[in-house]
Amino acid sequence: MNEPVRGWWRRNRYGLFALPVVFVLAVAANGIRLDDYWWDTGLRSATSGSQGEFVAYHQEYRDALGQTSRTLKVRVDDIR
């Protein structure tokens, strides 16, 4: 006897149900890496300055490639 042909939605119902769960788990797992690679290494520092004034920033740090540094010069022109 011939088996009835099942539709695409019926054949894939379990995978479609699991897809949002897997997506949330993947995003959560990637969020943990943000903390490991950026926040704990101290790649952040508060500074202050006046509008239109350049503020210099320099930081030395160690990453997977070894000791390195980062130097920035930024300016806030307008806040709306």
Side-chain angles (χ1 to χ4, degrees):
M1 296 207 146
N2 291 338
E3 227 178 276
V5 177
R6 296 187 308 168
W8 186 90
W9 290 103
R10 186 169 177 87
R11 285 191 320 263
N12 295 298
R13 65 182 176 256
Y14 297 118
L16 291 172
F17 176 73
L19 192 60
V21 175
V22 171
F23 179 75
V24 168
L25 291 174
V27 169
N30 197 31
I32 292 170
R33 292 173 50 118
L34 178 68
D35 185 56
D36 290 343
Y37 292 113
W38 291 99
W39 192 255
D40 290 340
T41 57
L43 296 177
R44 65 200 184 284
S45 180
T47 188
S48 63
S50 299
Q51 183 176 343
E53 171 189 352
F54 278 98
V55 177
Y57 173 78
H58 177 80
Q59 184 176 19
E60 297 197 19
Y61 62 96
R62 176 175 290 284
D63 64 6
L65 301 175
Q67 189 70 23
T68 188
S69 66
R70 177 174 291 142
T71 303
L72 306 170
K73 191 167 137 180
V74 296
R75 178 180 72 189
V76 175
D77 287 329
D78 193 15
I79 300 172
R80 293 180 199 208

